[in-house]
Structures are given as C-alpha cells and as structure tokens.
Amino acid sequence: MGETITFWVLAVVSVGAALGMVFNRKAVYSALMLGTVMLCLAVLYAVQDAPFLAAVQIIVYTGAIMMLFLFVLMLVGVDSSDSFVETLKGQRVWAVLAALGFLALIVLAVGNAIFAPQAGLAQATGQGGYIRSIALLLFTKYVFAFEITSALLITAALAAMVLAHREKLTEKATQKDLSRARFLGDHPSPLPGPGTYARSNAIDMPALLPDGSVAETSVNRYIARYDVEHDHLPEDPKLADAIKHTAELDEAPTEAEKDAETNEVTK
C-alpha cells in the first residue's frame, strides 16, 4: 500500500516537474525542475529495492549531470537576452528531425512497457544480484545505447559552447591597440584609487588630488549608484557631489552600449 501511494505521489510530482522543465522560460527554473525529476526517480528506485540505482541516480545524474547544466547556465548567462539571429544554417530542420526521432523512441518505449510480458524483480536479478544483472545488461545487450548516452553528454558540452558563441562584428582589440588608445585618451596613467589623500580609505570615498580637488574617476560607478540609491552619501558636499555625478554618468549609455544598440538595429 505504501509503495503504491509513493509511486502515484512521485509520479504526479515528476511529470509536473518535467512539464515545467520543458515549458519554463527561465533556464534556472528548468534546471531546478530537472533536478526534481531526478530525485523522484532516485526515490522510486529505492522503493523498488534497488539502492544501488538510487545512489547512482543521486551521485551521477543529480550531481554530475546537473553540474553540466550549471556550466551551461554559467556560459550562456542567466540574464542574457534571447538572440534571434541563427548562427547555424539549417538548425531548425535538424531540430525537427531529431524531435520526430525522439518521439518515435518514446512511442516504442511506452509500447514495449505496456505490451511486453512482465518479468518481475526475481527473474531480473536472478543472475547473481541486481548489481551483476545491471552490469551484464549494460555491457552486453545495451552496450550500444550506453555508448550513445555518453555521446549525448559530449554533445551537450558542445551545445553549451555553441550557445555561448556570439557573432563578432568587429575585430578584437589587441593589447597594442588598447595601449595606444589609452595613451591617446584623457587618462594615460592609471586611475587614482578610492580614498587616496582623503580622510578615509573606504572604497566608496572619492580620492583627493594633491591640490585638494575631488577625483571623480576614483569611485566605481556601480558603488556610486548604490550610495545614491540608498542615501549613503558623505557629509562633505564636494565628495557627495562627486558621487552623485559619477552615478549620473553611470545611468547615461556608454559608447559600447550605443554601438551594441546600433548593431541590434542593423540586424
């Protein structure tokens, strides 16, 4: 009775999590839903008196395979916007063919589970225990499917690199180009550190130049915007004005952002 209740509860949870993984727009939520499905499978294995499979499901799939998906998220970026520019020609056709092939495999698997005669746990593990039976099936009858699964994992790693790929519209600047642009700009020397010649060496305090003026370039623009939003401004009006001015410059679009916006419009 307890096994039946556990099965139906976990079946509803796992199917709901699987649907949420497919139809969710957030990649992080999809990864969490996938982890839920894997944990439900591990519990079902444990209920069916297969602790080895339950441990492998948690250690290998929930641990190692989920780490692969996390690497994909780190490469692609959680907050990255969807790109509608297809860098691979003909990928939709191959995606439709792969989807049809996967649908055919699902239909065959469901039909085999419904119409095939039931073997039972005693018959399946009658060759020296369930660990030996699993090893014999993996390296004899299902060795081709086992190798295909390993190839799919490698394909997932390659897919992560393809998803992280971005089209470069301009050549990447070399160190020589960056050095030349730096000396031709307004600040050939390194920017002053925050708090230099000031009463405080805090990272959110502007530096004071030797003549007593405030160096606005010494404050990080993100920190300046945070101080303005949370009203953490210093009492000195000169320092407060410098932080406010830096925060205002942060809100204005930079040249790189303008170029990126222009490139998107051009596309």
Side-chain angles (χ1 to χ4, degrees), residues 6 9-15 17 34-46 57 62:
T6 303
V9 171
L10 293 180
V12 174
V13 174
S14 59
V15 171
L34 180 60
T36 303
V37 175
M38 292 180 178
L39 290 176
C40 291
L41 290 176
V43 176
L44 290 175
Y45 289 146
Q57 180 70 29
T62 311

Side-chain angles (χ1 to χ4, degrees), residues 212-235:
S213 60
V214 178
E216 296 181 358
T217 55
S218 63
V219 181
N220 187 288
R221 53 195 180 102
Y222 299 106
I223 298 178
R225 185 175 61 183
Y226 178 85
D227 288 344
V228 172
E229 292 177 353
H230 294 79
D231 197 16
H232 291 166
L233 299 176
E235 297 179 357

Side-chain angles (χ1 to χ4, degrees), residues 64-201:
I65 306 304
M66 282 301 299
M67 287 299 297
L68 178 62
F69 284 97
L70 292 178
F71 287 146
V72 173
L73 294 179
M74 287 188 290
L75 287 173
V76 177
V78 177
D79 297 329
S80 61
S81 58
D82 295 334
S83 177
F84 295 98
V85 179
E86 295 185 4
T87 58
L88 300 177
K89 301 299 181 181
Q91 59 180 346
R92 295 189 179 183
V93 177
W94 290 106
V96 171
L97 294 177
L100 293 176
F102 185 70
L103 181 61
L105 290 177
I106 292 179
V107 172
L108 290 176
V110 173
N112 187 27
I114 294 176
F115 298 104
Q118 298 182 0
L121 183 61
Q123 182 180 353
T125 60
Q127 299 179 358
Y130 62 92
I131 298 179
R132 179 178 175 85
S133 302
I134 293 173
L136 289 174
L137 290 176
L138 284 180
F139 295 102
T140 55
K141 183 177 180 180
Y142 299 107
V143 63
F144 181 74
F146 186 70
E147 295 298 330
I148 290 296
T149 303
S150 62
L152 288 177
L153 298 180
I154 299 176
T155 306
L158 295 176
M161 292 185 287
V162 172
L163 290 174
H165 173 69
R166 294 292 182 270
E167 289 290 340
K168 294 182 180 179
L169 302 179
T170 58
E171 294 184 359
K172 184 178 180 181
T174 61
Q175 186 176 4
K176 183 178 180 180
D177 297 333
L178 294 176
S179 178
R180 181 178 299 172
R182 177 178 176 181
F183 279 95
L184 292 176
D186 299 333
H187 297 282
S189 61
L191 298 178
T196 306
Y197 300 114
R199 297 180 180 179
S200 174
N201 61 350

